[in-house]
Amino acid sequence: MKLLNHTLKYLSLTLLVVIGVWALLFYLRMIEEVEDSLDDGLGNTKMIVIQRMARDPSIADRSGFSEHSYLINRISEKSALNFRDQYQDTLMYTLNEKTLEPFRMLKTAFREKGEYYLLTVVASAVEQDDLLRNLLYSIVLLYLIILISIFAINNWLLKRIWSPFYVLLNRLKEFRLENQRQIELPATNVTEFQEVSAAVKTLVAHSINSYVNQKQFIENASHELQTPLAVSLSRLEMLSEEEGLTDKQSALIGQVISDLKRIGRLNSSLLLLTKIESKQFLEVKRIDVGEIIDKLVEDFRDFAELKNIKISVDKKHKIQLRINPELALVLFSNLTKNAIVHNKYGGSLHVEINSNMIRISNTGELTAMDEEKIFRRFQKGGSQSSGTGIGLAITRSITELYDFELKYNFDGLHHFYLIV
Amino acid sequence: MKILIIEDQPELRSAIKQALEMENYIVEQAGNFTEAIDKVTSFGYDCILLDLMLPGGSGLDILKELKNQERDDNVIILSAKDSISDKVSGLELGADDYLAKPFHMSELSARLKSVLRRKSFNGKQLLPLGELNLDMENRRVLFGDIDLQLNRKEFDIFSYLSLNSNRLVNKSALAEHVWGDFMDQADDFEFIYSQIKNLRKKMLPAEKSVQIHAVYGLGYKLTVK
C-alpha cells in the first residue's frame, strides 16, 4: 500500500473514534441545553399563570391542555405543602401529527386566597429521535468530507512534497554499476531526503570504487599469470626435446603442456572479458556479417569435417554491423565453435542471416539447455568439453556492449539468435 | 646470428635465451630501459626481441630511438598487453612483427627465422630442406622443378615445421599457427593428423632426405638429413 494511503488508513480510524466521541458529547450537551431552555420557559409560564390566577381565579376552571398549555387542579393542603417542583418528560397526543409527541412538563403547587392548587405546565420538546437522526447524518457527512479532503490534499500537496523522493527512487532503479556513473541527486530542502541522498551518494561512490578495483585486480592478476605460464610452457617444450624420452614420459609432458595451455586459455578469456567490460575495445568499424561467417566457416572446415558435420549458410540479407573487428571475430567464432563442439557426429550446422537477426542452429544433444545458466561464466553445457565455460559469457558481454540481443531456444535443434 | 632480448621478467628472459641458444643463436640480454638503450646504441643485432612494458620507459621509445638512428635492425615486439593500438604503433615505428605473450617457443622461432630471411634475402630465396625447397613468397614447395601442389593448410604446416626444422613442434603450437587462435580448444587434434597424413603422401618423393616424425603425445618434427 502506498505511504500516502497508509497514513490515511490510520487517520480515518482515529478520526472515526474522535468524531464519534465528539458527536456523542455534543449530542448530550445539546439535549441538556435544550432542556434547560425549555425548563426556563416552563418556569416563566408557571409564574405568569400564578400571577393571572391572583387576578382572575376563574382561569383554573378554564385550564386544560385542549385549550392552554397549563392545567390547574385543586389539591389538599397537606399534598401541596409537601410538593416539590417536578420537571419531567412526557408524551402527549398532538393533533397535527396525530401521534404521541415528547413534551416537557413542570408540576408545581401554589396557594391562592387560602386554596391550594397543582399547576401542570407543558411545553413541546424537541423530538429527540429526529434530532439524533439529523445529527448523525450531519456527522457522517462531515466525516466523509474530512476524509475526502485529506485524501485529496494528500495526493496533491504531499505528492509535490514527496517528489524528490520519487525522483531518487527512479534514479536508483535505473542505476547500473557497470556504467560507473554516479547518481544525480534531486534538489530538496527536506532534511530527511537530503540525508537519504547523501547516504546514497556515498554508497554509490563506494560501490563504483569497489567495482573498479575488483576489475583492476582481475586484470592485473591475469597479466601476472601470463609470464609464469609462458615460462613453464617454454621449459616444458625444451624438456620435450630431450633425447631418450620414453613414450610414457613424452605423453606425460604432452599432457602437462596441454593442461598449462588450458590455464593459459582460461586466463586469456578472463582477461578478454574484463577488457570488454571495462570498455577497452572502443574502435568500431563497419563489418559485413556475411564475410565474417564465410571466413569462419572456412577456418572451421577441418574441425567440422572431423565430426562429419555439414555446414550451410543462408544469407537472406546483407547485414553490416558497427562493431570492433576483434570483438566481432570473437563473437561469431564463439558461437560457431560452440555449434560444432556440441554437435553430434554426422550432424549439421546452419547459419541464417536475416535483415536484423543472425541465427545459428545445430544438431546435438536431445535436451534443451538452460537459457538462464549457459551465458554465465563457468557454466559448461554438454558432456565433453575442454572448453573453459567462458565462451558464451564472453559472447554475451560483447552483445551487451553493443545492445544486441542474444537468445537461445531448443526445438529439436539448438538455436542461438543474435538480434541486432 | 646475434639476438638481443629486451625483457624485464628474468625467468622469461632466461627461458628464451636458453631456447635460442639451443638453436645456435648468440644471445644478449637487457632487463630494463637504460640497459636496453645502452646495448642498442653500442651494438648492432640481427634481431631484437622487444618487450613493450619495461621499467624505466616504454619499448616503443626504444623503437623510436632506433628509427632516429636510422637503424635497420629487425625488431620483433613481444608483449603481454595484446593491445591493438600498441601493435599498430609498433609496426608503424618500424617493428617487423608482433607476438603476444604467452607464446610457443616454436612460434617465436618461426617468426624469428621469417624475419631474418625476409631482411637478409629479401624473401626471394628458397629455403632448402633436404631434396625439397620451400618458396615462402609464392607459397609452394618444390621437389627439384616439380611443385608438390600443397593446399593452404598443408603449406602452412610444412612451412611451420620447416622453420623449426629438426626441432619438436608441440601439437597445440602447430594448431594455433595453422588454424588460428580458436582451434587450440579442440579436445584432440585429429584434424591435424589427417592433414599431416596427406602432407606426408605428397612429400614421398623426397622421403629419403626429409621426413615428418610424430613424437608420441607431444607433436611433430620435420627432420632433414
Side-chain angles (χ1 to χ4, degrees):
Chain A
M1 191 193 293
K2 293 186 76 172
L3 184 65
L4 299 179
N5 298 328
H6 251 303
T7 56
L8 192 64
K9 186 175 73 173
Y10 288 113
L11 260 179
S12 53
L13 283 178
T14 314
L15 264 181
L16 189 64
V17 170
V18 166
I19 289 188
V21 168
W22 178 87
L24 186 67
L25 293 176
F26 179 66
Y27 173 74
L28 292 176
R29 194 85 175 82
M30 275 246 297
I31 294 291
E32 204 187 306
E33 272 307 307
V34 166
E35 275 184 5
D36 278 353
S37 181
L38 279 178
D39 290 352
D40 281 348
L42 286 176
N44 194 41
T45 311
K46 154 187 148 188
M47 295 188 67
I48 291 178
V49 169
I50 292 178
Q51 276 180 5
R52 284 179 68 189
M53 209 36 204
R55 286 196 306 268
D56 178 12
S58 67
I59 64 171
D61 301 322
R62 292 201 296 279
S63 73
F65 293 125
S66 45
E67 278 186 40
H68 302 280
S69 59
Y70 58 91
L71 176 67
I72 304 178
N73 294 316
R74 291 175 72 168
I75 55 175
S76 66
E77 180 182 350
K78 187 162 175 233
S79 347
L81 288 174
N82 284 329
F83 206 85
R84 293 273 178 276
D85 283 359
Q86 289 175 9
Y87 290 89
Q88 53 191 146
D89 298 313
T90 186
L91 289 170
M92 293 182 70
Y93 188 78
T94 53
L95 280 177
N96 58 343
E97 302 207 10
K98 293 189 172 43
T99 51
L100 293 172
E101 293 295 313
F103 278 77
R104 189 74 173 158
M105 183 165 77
L106 169 62
K107 281 196 170 125
T108 185
F110 69 96
R111 187 181 69 170
E112 179 55 43
K113 294 197 174 48
E115 295 289 335
Y116 291 92
Y117 299 93
L118 174 70
L119 171 62
T120 309
V121 189
V122 295
S124 170
V126 166
E127 207 171 320
Q128 293 194 16
D129 276 358
D130 282 349
L131 182 65
L132 200 58
R133 195 164 43 233
N134 281 318
L135 186 63
L136 195 65
Y137 289 163
S138 305
I139 287 293
V140 167
L141 193 63
L142 177 69
Y143 180 66
L144 286 176
I145 290 178
I146 291 181
L147 277 188
I148 290 172
S149 308
I150 291 178
F151 186 75
I153 292 177
N154 258 350
N155 277 301
W156 179 74
L157 185 64
L158 292 187
K159 230 178 216 159
R160 290 181 56 185
I161 297 179
W162 278 84
S163 96
F165 173 81
Y166 287 112
V167 166
L168 184 61
L169 186 61
N170 272 332
R171 296 207 178 136
L172 274 174
K173 282 186 194 168
E174 289 168 1
F175 175 66
R176 292 283 170 270
L177 187 57
E178 328 54 283
N179 291 338
Q180 294 175 39
R181 263 198 309 257
Q182 178 60 268
I183 292 193
E184 261 178 71
L185 301 170
T188 172
N189 45 20
V190 175
T191 318
E192 287 83 355
F193 295 155
Q194 280 171 345
E195 286 181 24
V196 167
S197 283
V200 163
K201 185 169 181 176
T202 313
L203 178 67
V204 164
H206 279 154
S207 299
I208 291 181
N209 210 27
S210 197
Y211 179 77
V212 166
N213 284 340
Q214 270 184 13
K215 287 237 129 26
Q216 200 55 51
F217 174 74
I218 295 179
E219 218 177 299
N220 291 342
S222 284
H223 267 145
E224 291 303 310
L225 279 173
Q226 306 273 44
T227 302
L229 272 174
V231 171
S232 307
L233 277 170
S234 158
R235 297 205 210 282
L236 279 170
E237 286 182 343
M238 290 203 306
L239 178 59
S240 68
E241 303 227 17
E242 292 282 313
E243 301 275 329
L245 287 177
T246 65
D247 277 356
K248 191 164 160 203
Q249 287 166 336
S250 290
L252 278 171
I253 296 175
Q255 277 161 9
V256 177
I257 290 181
S258 205
D259 293 334
L260 278 177
K261 291 293 295 178
R262 188 170 161 179
I263 295 178
R265 280 200 299 277
L266 189 56
N267 201 38
S268 304
S269 297
L270 270 178
L271 207 51
L272 182 61
L273 205 55
T274 59
K275 280 189 191 169
I276 293 174
E277 286 175 2
S278 67
K279 311 203 188 307
Q280 283 187 35
F281 289 92
L282 291 176
E283 185 200 349
V284 290
K285 287 211 178 113
R286 298 200 76 86
I287 304 284
D288 183 289
V289 174
E291 277 174 24
I292 283 204
I293 298 283
D294 283 340
K295 168 177 158 37
L296 286 171
V297 164
E298 187 52 45
D299 284 346
F300 284 107
R301 185 173 299 285
D302 292 330
F303 198 22
E305 272 171 17
L306 196 61
K307 283 171 111 164
N308 217 357
I309 293 173
K310 270 191 265 313
I311 303 182
S312 50
V313 180
D314 185 4
K315 295 187 232 175
K316 291 206 162 86
H317 278 97
K318 201 168 151 64
I319 306 185
Q320 291 211 326
L321 296 176
R322 298 211 72 228
I323 187 177
N324 177 287
E326 264 186 274
L327 291 185
L329 199 57
V330 170
L331 172 61
F332 287 108
S333 64
N334 264 343
L335 288 172
T336 315
K337 186 166 31 126
N338 263 326
I340 297 179
V341 166
H342 293 116
N343 214 324
K344 61 178 190 198
Y345 189 84
S348 65
L349 190 166
H350 181 71
V351 180
E352 189 179 295
I353 305 179
N354 290 316
S355 61
N356 72 334
M357 185 256 289
I358 299 123
R359 176 164 63 94
I360 299 184
S361 321
N362 62 283
T363 50
E365 276 199 20
L366 290 172
T367 45
M369 298 193 284
D370 186 341
E371 184 171 10
E372 277 302 305
K373 287 197 180 155
I374 50 178
F375 294 114
R376 290 206 236 125
R377 299 183 197 194
F378 305 117
Q379 293 291 338
K380 293 202 231 163
S383 42
Q384 33 89 320
S385 220
S386 72
T388 53
I390 233 181
L392 277 179
I394 291 182
T395 309
R396 166 141 280 181
S397 256
I398 299 178
T399 54
E400 277 174 2
L401 187 63
Y402 293 102
D403 273 329
F404 300 152
E405 257 186 88
L406 186 60
K407 285 191 184 326
Y408 162 78
N409 96 338
F410 177 76
D411 63 1
L413 294 174
H414 299 273
H415 302 280
F416 280 90
Y417 300 87
L418 181 67
I419 301 166
V420 301
Chain B
M1 293 276 185
K2 208 159 65 146
I3 312 284
L4 172 66
I5 305 178
I6 306 177
E7 162 63 55
D8 71 318
Q9 305 261 13
E11 312 96 351
L12 188 54
R13 205 169 61 225
S14 76
I16 299 179
K17 182 169 186 307
Q18 261 185 303
L20 290 181
E21 280 174 346
M22 269 175 64
E23 291 186 55
N24 298 321
Y25 290 105
I26 299 176
V27 182
E28 307 232 334
Q29 40 179 340
N32 60 46
F33 186 79
T34 352
E35 270 183 46
I37 284 279
D38 273 346
K39 284 232 152 73
V40 151
T41 37
S42 323
F43 305 104
Y45 298 92
D46 293 295
C47 188
I48 300 174
L49 304 177
L50 176 59
D51 177 16
L52 288 184
M53 313 232 280
L54 289 175
S58 157
L60 288 175
D61 290 332
I62 297 186
L63 269 178
K64 284 191 200 137
E65 186 56 32
L66 283 170
K67 199 165 181 192
N68 285 341
Q69 294 183 18
E70 290 185 5
R71 299 266 293 273
D72 64 352
D73 297 40
N74 296 316
V75 177
I76 299 180
I77 294 179
L78 310 173
S79 187
K81 277 181 73 180
D82 196 16
S83 110
I84 294 262
S85 60
D86 276 349
K87 205 179 209 165
V88 167
S89 325
L91 294 174
E92 276 175 0
L93 282 171
D96 295 274
D97 206 347
Y98 184 104
L99 191 52
K101 292 185 209 172
F103 47 79
H104 284 277
M105 276 313 303
S106 45
E107 186 68 40
L108 177 61
S109 222
R111 306 262 190 128
L112 192 49
K113 290 222 179 75
S114 293
V115 159
L116 290 172
R117 293 194 67 72
R118 230 184 295 158
K119 276 283 178 66
S120 51
F121 299 109
N122 290 327
K124 293 224 188 295
Q125 286 263 346
L126 303 175
L127 173 65
L129 297 147
E131 289 163 290
L132 296 175
N133 282 299
L134 175 63
D135 180 357
M136 283 298 294
E137 202 187 341
N138 297 314
R139 293 181 62 84
R140 51 184 192 155
V141 179
L142 301 167
F143 179 59
D145 276 337
I146 308 171
D147 187 337
L148 289 187
Q149 307 274 16
L150 300 181
N151 72 26
R152 190 165 78 108
K153 298 273 172 27
E154 289 162 354
F155 179 80
D156 283 338
I157 296 177
F158 184 83
S159 59
Y160 195 59
L161 291 176
S162 307
L163 289 170
N164 286 287
S165 57
N166 292 319
R167 303 202 57 195
L168 176 60
V169 171
N170 182 270
K171 278 184 295 198
S172 107
L174 185 57
E176 254 180 65
H177 180 91
V178 176
W179 278 271
D181 281 339
F182 307 106
M183 284 334 290
D184 64 342
Q185 287 195 39
D187 279 325
D188 55 56
F189 294 100
E190 278 264 344
F191 57 93
I192 301 185
Y193 183 65
S194 59
Q195 294 282 5
I196 299 249
K197 226 172 33 158
N198 295 335
L199 181 56
R200 276 176 172 154
K201 250 188 261 177
K202 294 186 184 173
M203 283 167 60
L204 271 180
E207 69 170 334
K208 276 200 280 287
S209 58
V210 54
Q211 284 181 358
I212 297 183
H213 288 286
V215 178
Y216 184 74
L218 286 170
Y220 300 94
K221 184 196 279 204
L222 183 109
T223 51
V224 179
K225 294 220 184 37

